[in-house]
């Protein structure tokens, strides 16, 4: 059944502000009392939300609190060249269970097997406790949002386009969403940092390099991802996985640093250690990223920069980035904060995002 946009807006308001009331939803969304009430009733009929026992509000009327259905769950899986992570969460984003295991695959079949392994373990946890109504997948590669085809998976050189969404739908008989890492990071950042989201650039530094601007609304229609990682940082530089030479990702991502240092993904600890032989790659990454931030923030205004991903293992990295930023920017006073956050979860973000996408899909 096709739903109105108000259905999604009311649902999103409830799952991000639960517990809440009809009056609060009316005030926060701007919808009329009748629109809010009709959508709340529809969401209850669909089983997505429920009303708790009424309480007396002091003037003789009973007020019902509205919460997300705590028996409905969503599962998110994220895959990159370092690890596979999985989060099982309620549809309001409360994480119930999470785990990860190393990425160990040499061909396409083994990658698909790892994805299945992660989802199978997630469903095993949810069995007999929760009803899984959506699942989401995020990959280090490119998934066509229209067709659901995993066109490429960057850690594997030989890859044939694979219909990952239909494959997962057939296997698990539920709604499936599939997307890139940065949208999922933005979703989780908005969920955790609502007050800061409108003025922040989030940079994920892992096996790849991603930039995103989450907006305070936190909705899927309010996320802006920019592919700045594949802008040229070094003329005639080293080749990138995208086919160009000298991309910022080659010099700033953990994957790029490992490759330049002649280390495998299993030797990341050497890169993050105190060995001067490898420390120069960290310093170069901070230098290039500081310059890149000047360029990005000249176009997109933000006062906060949050670094996340593998690089958070290096405590001095944000300071090195800030020093480079100030050194190349000139004599202007510092006007941004650069910090790091280790609590952003791609797998939890994709789990939460898949629940939203299911509701958005009902509007089409």
């Amino acid at each position: 059944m096709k739903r109105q946009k108000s259905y999604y807006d009311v649902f999103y308001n409830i799952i991000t502000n639960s517990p809440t009331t009809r009056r609060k939803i009316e005030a926060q969304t701007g919808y009329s009392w009748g629109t809010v009430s009709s959508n709340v009733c529809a969401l209850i009929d669909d089983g997505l939300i429920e009303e708790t026992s009424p309480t007396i509000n002091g003037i003789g009327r009973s007020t019902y609190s509205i919460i997300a259905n705590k028996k409905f769950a969503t599962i998110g899986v994220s895959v990159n060249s370092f690890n596979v992570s999985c989060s099982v969460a309620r549809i309001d984003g409360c994480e119930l269970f999470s785990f990860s295991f190393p990425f160990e695959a040499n061909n396409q079949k083994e990658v698909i097997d790892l994805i299945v392994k992660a989802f199978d373990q997630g469903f095993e946890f949810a069995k007999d406790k929760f009803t899984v109504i959506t699942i989401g997948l995020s990959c280090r590669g490119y998934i066509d949002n229209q067709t659901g085809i995993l066109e490429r998976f960057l850690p594997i050189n030989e890859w044939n386009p694979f219909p990952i969404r239909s494959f997962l739908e057939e296997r698990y008989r539920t709604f499936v969403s599939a997307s890139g890492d940065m949208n999922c990071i933005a979703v989780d950042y908005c969920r955790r940092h609502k007050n800061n989201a409108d003025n922040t650039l989030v940079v994920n530094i892992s096996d790849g390099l991603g930039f995103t601007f989450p907006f305070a609304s936190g909705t899927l229609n309010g996320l802006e991802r920019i592919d700045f990682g594949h802008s040229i940082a070094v003329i005639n530089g080293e080749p990138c996985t995208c086919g160009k030479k000298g991309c910022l990702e080659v010099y700033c991502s953990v994957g790029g640093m490992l490759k330049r240092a002649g280390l495998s993904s299993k030797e990341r600890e050497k890169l993050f250690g105190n060995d001067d032989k490898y420390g120069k790659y960290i310093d170069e990454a901070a230098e290039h990223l500081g310059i890149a931030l000047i360029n990005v923030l000249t176009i997109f205004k933000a006062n906060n920069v949050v670094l996340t991903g593998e690089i958070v293992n290096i405590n001095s990295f944000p300071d090195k980035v800030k020093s480079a930023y100030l050194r190349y920017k000139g004599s202007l006073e510092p006007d941004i904060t650069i910090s790091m956050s280790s609590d952003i979860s791609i797998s939890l973000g994709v789990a939460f995002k898949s629940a939203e996408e299911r509701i958005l899909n009902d509007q089409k």
Side-chain angles (χ1 to χ4, degrees):
M1 176 180 177
K2 183 177 179 180
R3 299 293 189 184
Q4 300 297 317
K5 181 178 180 297
S6 56
Y7 179 87
Y8 166 76
D9 292 340
V10 171
F11 169 76
Y12 185 82
N13 183 275
I14 293 170
I15 63 176
T16 53
N17 297 289
S18 181
T20 187
T21 65
R22 283 176 166 82
R23 286 298 182 195
K24 288 180 181 179
I25 299 169
E26 181 186 16
Q28 291 167 350
T29 63
Y31 287 122
S32 68
W33 172 262
T35 298
V36 169
S37 291
S38 63
N39 281 290
V40 166
C41 290
L43 286 162
I44 291 173
D45 289 342
D46 292 342
L48 294 170
I49 65 171
E50 56 189 7
E51 287 185 311
T52 62
S53 300
T55 56
I56 304 300
N57 64 11
I59 56 174
R61 295 173 180 260
S62 298
T63 300
Y64 289 84
S65 291
I66 302 170
I67 60 174
N69 188 331
K70 293 185 178 181
K71 293 183 180 179
F72 280 2
T74 175
I75 300 175
V77 169
S78 173
V79 186
N80 61 39
S81 61
F82 296 152
N83 60 44
V84 180
S85 59
C86 178
S87 292
V88 181
R90 294 200 312 250
I91 58 173
D92 61 0
C94 176
E95 191 168 53
L96 303 167
F97 177 65
S98 66
F99 62 88
S100 65
F101 51 82
F103 175 85
E104 294 180 347
N106 298 305
N107 56 54
Q108 182 168 335
K109 181 182 181 303
E110 291 178 351
V111 173
I112 302 302
D113 288 345
L114 287 180
I115 293 172
V116 169
K117 174 183 176 182
F119 276 118
D120 282 353
Q121 290 186 28
F123 272 94
E124 182 63 26
F125 169 82
K127 184 175 66 176
D128 301 328
K129 305 173 194 167
F130 304 95
T131 299
V132 177
I133 63 168
T134 69
I135 63 175
L137 173 68
S138 174
C139 280
R140 171 85 170 113
Y142 175 71
I143 300 175
D144 188 306
N145 288 332
Q146 297 298 319
T147 64
I149 292 177
L150 181 55
E151 298 282 356
R152 61 181 180 271
F153 183 70
L154 296 180
I156 303 297
N157 293 326
E158 295 184 8
W159 187 272
N160 296 316
F162 184 80
I164 189 65
R165 188 166 61 205
S166 60
F167 170 80
L168 293 174
E169 286 173 343
E170 183 175 348
R171 181 178 180 87
Y172 297 109
R173 302 296 179 183
T174 190
F175 179 86
V176 177
S177 68
S179 62
D181 287 355
M182 293 313 297
N183 280 347
C184 301
I185 286 174
V187 167
D188 191 50
Y189 182 83
C190 289
R191 190 182 62 82
R192 297 173 188 266
H193 305 281
K194 294 178 186 177
N195 296 331
N196 243 4
D198 220 12
N199 200 22
T200 298
L201 165 66
V202 180
V203 183
N204 183 49
I205 308 170
S206 187
D207 59 336
L209 182 68
F211 295 75
T212 190
F213 286 90
F215 297 146
S217 64
T219 66
L220 295 177
N221 295 326
L223 303 174
E224 185 167 353
R225 178 187 180 277
I226 55 175
D227 198 14
F228 205 80
H230 292 291
S231 59
I232 304 299
V234 177
I235 298 175
N236 293 324
E238 297 189 29
C240 179
T241 54
C242 73
K244 300 197 296 264
K245 290 184 177 180
C247 288
L248 187 65
E249 185 167 297
V250 174
Y251 297 89
C252 293
S253 71
V254 176
M257 284 185 271
L258 287 171
K259 185 176 181 179
R260 294 175 63 229
L263 298 172
S264 70
S265 61
K266 295 180 180 180
E267 297 177 295
R268 296 196 302 282
E269 292 75 13
K270 292 183 179 180
L271 183 68
F272 300 147
N274 298 317
D275 191 333
D276 292 338
K277 177 181 178 181
Y278 303 115
K280 67 178 183 178
Y281 298 105
I282 301 294
D283 293 340
E284 287 179 8
E287 192 86 352
H288 283 296
L289 187 55
I291 296 171
L293 289 178
I294 294 174
N295 296 326
V296 174
L297 296 177
T298 298
I299 304 170
F300 301 91
K301 302 301 180 184
N303 293 113
N304 305 302
V305 176
V306 176
L307 308 180
T308 187
E310 289 270 306
I311 210 72
V312 299
N313 290 303
I314 306 169
N315 294 328
S316 61
F317 190 77
D319 292 334
K320 291 180 178 180
V321 174
K322 181 70 176 284
S323 295
Y325 173 88
L326 294 175
R327 185 164 61 254
Y328 288 100
K329 186 173 182 181
S331 58
L332 295 177
E333 290 296 316
D335 57 357
I336 65 166
T337 60
I338 297 179
S339 59
M340 59 184 174
S341 174
S342 60
D343 67 344
I344 298 176
S345 167
I346 300 177
S347 57
L348 183 56
V350 73
F352 196 45
K353 180 175 176 292
S354 69
E356 292 183 59
E357 278 200 3
R358 176 187 162 174
I359 304 304
L360 280 173
N361 191 67
D362 288 341
Q363 296 174 205
K364 298 177 181 178

